[in-house]
Amino acid sequence: MGSIFSTSSTVLFSIETGLNSSWDMDDEYEKFVRRMNPPRVVIDNEACKSATVIRVDSANKHGILLEVVQVLTDLNLIITKAYISSDGGWFMDVFNVTDREGNKLKDECLLEYISKSLGADSSYVPSMRRSVGVEQSTNHTSIELTGTDRPGLLSEVCAVLTCLKCNVVNGEVWTHNTRAAAVMLVTDEETGAAITDPERLSKIKEMLCNVLKGNNKTREAKTVVSLGVTHTERRLHQMMFADRDYERSDSDTLDEKLRPNVTVVNWHDKDYSVVTIRCKDRPKLLFDTVCTLTDMQYVVFHANVDAEGAEAYQEYYIRHIDGSPVNSEAERQRVIQCLEAAIERRVSEGLKLELCTTDRVGLLSDVTRIFRENSLSVTRAEVMTRAGKAINTFYVRDAAGNPVDAKTIDSIREAIGQTILQVRGCFESPKSQAQESPTRFLFGGLFKSRSLYNFGLVRSYS
């Protein structure tokens, strides 16, 4: 029987135990520069009728724009307008922001937190080393997975973790262009703490590698153990970018009208490349595009962002970190493809379901089993645990990629619990269904995929 597993898979592990090594000389120099030129943050609720205006001035360095945007998006703020200028050794960013309800920011504690996070007392460091707003922790082990999307992949991963007495407490899963990436934070079932035993970690790696590669011997899965912290969404972008999810095959039939409008032209008089993006607006869009430009080693010198209407407009004046603009057609196409992918990764297909209940080991596997028994697949998922409560979000379609009918959802809610599972959004008409996504298979085929027993996966780790 042919393998149903990924031909290209990666497993990364990191035990988040805090950083005990000293910073190198570059870090010390940056700290010195920061002390001599501390950032200045001004928050103004009077300058604009509809938004709070946040202005940040600071010494310039590569990646600082991403760090500022990341602080704001991590607070679930909506950036409606932005102006960026960073020529020379200084930068100035101006953002118009609101809360998720479209209101100005009035909470004094929130305003003070923003000032401290972005100002002279902030502790963020270059984003290529660490991520903004993430604290070191000994409370969980971080598992990163990338590979080819296929039916039942995440379900089998969760089954292995449950078998090894690991509890998934937080995580996020993205799928795009037949690729899948996940960051999962797990704890020991008995102690509720991070898993640090080398033998047990080795067993987890071995078994997850078996799940990812299956019987395919042409490419082995990779495993890495490292110390550090994880910013989930930043890592997902980096993982999928490294996995080249932006490459489209000739068989990709996605309607061109559904793709973001991305153009790249050179402004020869000033030696800039001008990137223009037009697409449907959504939260965290600015973070997604700035994250990709930063990871591709481009510097944003100027930018204008307008997201006050249904369509977002972004204009970036960029150069490569070596000082050159985009200098070939191949490079231009790669920038366009990577930005399209960055925007599309977070687009959620399907009906949104929210689950809130008491957390327990194996909950994720049980819930997705019920989805599969009712012929649903999940296109994206967010898993969160707070104070003993599991707060999970799923975007679902039927097994063929079509909208879900109300009767199916009623059956699922009856099985899980009417008050536990809530429907957010409206049911789609079959006539308005979107193009079938090539990434819809992550949770599909929960039990149609090959049994774990065939690979010797359901056994004690000891």
Side-chain angles (χ1 to χ4, degrees):
M1 182 181 295
S3 171
I4 58 174
F5 290 89
S6 165
T7 60
S8 173
S9 307
T10 304
V11 189
L12 302 176
F13 287 77
S14 80
I15 310 168
E16 300 197 324
T17 58
L19 302 178
N20 53 17
S21 60
S22 61
W23 298 111
D24 58 23
M25 291 302 295
D26 289 340
D27 294 311
E28 293 301 326
Y29 177 74
E30 286 177 359
K31 288 181 180 179
F32 172 76
V33 172
R34 191 176 182 81
R35 286 193 298 269
M36 297 300 294
N37 300 280
R40 187 167 68 97
V41 180
V42 177
I43 301 177
D44 189 345
N45 263 320
E46 303 300 326
C48 179
K49 292 183 179 180
S50 58
T52 299
V53 179
I54 300 175
R55 190 180 74 197
V56 184
D57 302 286
S58 177
N60 195 18
K61 63 183 176 67
H62 180 59
I64 194 168
L65 173 60
L66 174 59
E67 293 167 359
V68 173
V69 171
Q70 187 171 301
V71 168
L72 299 177
T73 55
D74 282 351
L75 293 171
N76 287 322
L77 302 181
I78 304 300
I79 300 173
T80 58
K81 280 183 177 292
Y83 170 79
I84 290 101
S85 180
S86 61
D87 265 343
W90 201 257
F91 87 97
M92 181 182 73
D93 294 352
V94 181
F95 301 94
N96 287 15
V97 304
T98 68
D99 62 19
R100 284 299 180 100
E101 284 70 45
N103 303 314
K104 290 186 179 183
L105 311 184
K106 298 292 188 179
D107 188 305
E108 291 297 330
C109 293
L110 174 61
L111 297 178
E112 182 180 0
Y113 180 85
I114 293 172
S115 294
K116 288 184 176 180
S117 298
L118 298 177
D121 297 330
S122 64
S123 59
Y124 62 75
V125 295
S127 56
M128 296 304 291
R129 295 184 178 89
R130 285 176 53 198
S131 296
V132 181
V134 182
E135 300 293 333
Q136 294 97 329
S137 173
T138 59
N139 295 330
H140 53 254
T141 299
S142 175
I143 302 176
E144 301 176 357
L145 309 169
T146 61
T148 303
D149 192 19
R150 61 162 182 80
L153 176 60
L154 186 60
S155 299
E156 294 183 8
V157 168
C158 290
V160 168
L161 293 174
T162 300
C163 172
L164 297 179
K165 301 187 182 301
C166 302
N167 186 35
V168 180
V169 294
N170 286 285
E172 191 158 352
V173 179
W174 290 359
T175 62
H176 176 252
N177 196 23
T178 74
R179 308 305 297 169
V183 175
M184 306 171 70
L185 307 184
V186 304
T187 60
D188 178 76
E189 177 183 339
E190 296 180 357
T191 67
I195 301 166
T196 58
D197 178 68
E199 291 187 7
R200 188 173 178 191
L201 288 173
S202 178
K203 179 59 68 174
I204 293 173
K205 287 186 243 179
E206 176 189 350
M207 294 175 70
L208 287 177
C209 281
N210 288 339
V211 169
L212 288 171
K213 71 182 181 181
N215 284 340
N216 192 300
K217 305 301 181 182
T218 59
R219 294 184 64 176
E220 294 184 358
K222 300 177 182 178
T223 65
V224 178
V225 178
S226 61
L227 299 177
V229 292
T230 299
H231 183 278
T232 300
E233 294 171 340
R234 180 79 198 278
R235 285 298 301 138
L236 286 167
H237 273 302
Q238 291 174 330
M239 291 158 61
M240 298 202 85
F241 174 73
D243 201 36
R244 305 173 73 89
D245 73 316
Y246 52 85
E247 293 183 340
R248 300 183 186 276
S249 65
D250 294 336
S251 60
D252 185 0
T253 58
L254 181 65
D255 190 340
E256 291 291 337
K257 295 180 180 180
L258 301 178
R259 286 181 179 167
N261 184 345
V262 182
T263 62
V264 180
V265 296
N266 280 358
W267 186 12
H268 296 288
D269 291 345
K270 298 294 184 180
D271 249 5
Y272 292 126
S273 292
V274 184
V275 177
T276 304
I277 300 172
R278 290 181 174 87
C279 65
K280 183 179 179 181
D281 187 35
R282 58 167 175 73
K284 302 189 179 183
L285 178 64
L286 181 60
F287 170 80
D288 294 338
T289 53
V290 171
C291 182
T292 297
L293 288 172
T294 303
D295 286 340
M296 294 182 72
Q297 299 292 290
Y298 290 103
V299 178
V300 176
F301 287 87
H302 304 281
N304 289 291
V305 174
D306 187 346
E308 288 190 311
E311 182 181 74
Y313 174 84
Q314 298 181 357
E315 184 179 66
Y316 298 100
Y317 293 76
I318 65 170
R319 293 179 189 145
H320 194 267
I321 198 171
D322 64 8
S324 65
V326 174
N327 54 26
S328 70
E329 178 61 21
E331 182 182 1
R332 190 181 75 87
Q333 289 297 327
R334 186 168 183 265
V335 171
I336 292 174
Q337 289 177 348
C338 289
L339 286 171
E340 286 178 346
I343 295 167
E344 293 169 353
R345 286 172 195 146
R346 204 192 291 267
V347 174
S348 303
E349 299 178 355
L351 188 68
K352 181 179 180 180
L353 303 179
E354 293 183 352
L355 181 143
C356 182
T357 188
T358 301
D359 186 42
R360 60 177 174 79
V361 176
L363 176 64
L364 185 59
S365 295
D366 290 344
V367 170
T368 54
R369 172 182 57 81
I370 293 173
F371 288 163
R372 182 64 189 96
E373 288 175 346
N374 285 270
S375 299
L376 295 189
S377 63
V378 179
T379 59
R380 189 161 75 89
E382 300 173 10
V383 178
M384 182 183 303
T385 304
R386 293 289 183 271
K389 288 286 186 180
I391 307 169
N392 300 344
T393 301
F394 305 95
Y395 294 85
V396 300
R397 302 184 78 85
D398 73 11
N402 301 317
V404 183
D405 63 72
K407 291 183 179 179
T408 300
I409 294 299
D410 288 341
S411 176
I412 292 173
R413 293 187 67 201
E414 183 177 352
I416 295 176
Q418 296 285 345
T419 59
I420 292 175
L421 188 67
Q422 300 292 326
V423 179
R424 305 299 182 192
C426 302
F427 289 92
E428 300 176 67
S429 167
K431 294 182 180 180
S432 65
Q433 70 187 58
Q435 178 84 17
E436 182 175 323
S437 168
T439 64
R440 63 181 173 78
F441 299 109
L442 186 64
F443 286 92
L446 187 62
F447 294 109
K448 288 186 178 180
S449 56
R450 188 172 301 184
S451 169
L452 295 175
Y453 288 99
N454 290 350
F455 299 99
L457 296 178
V458 182
R459 61 177 185 270
S460 172
Y461 67 84
S462 59

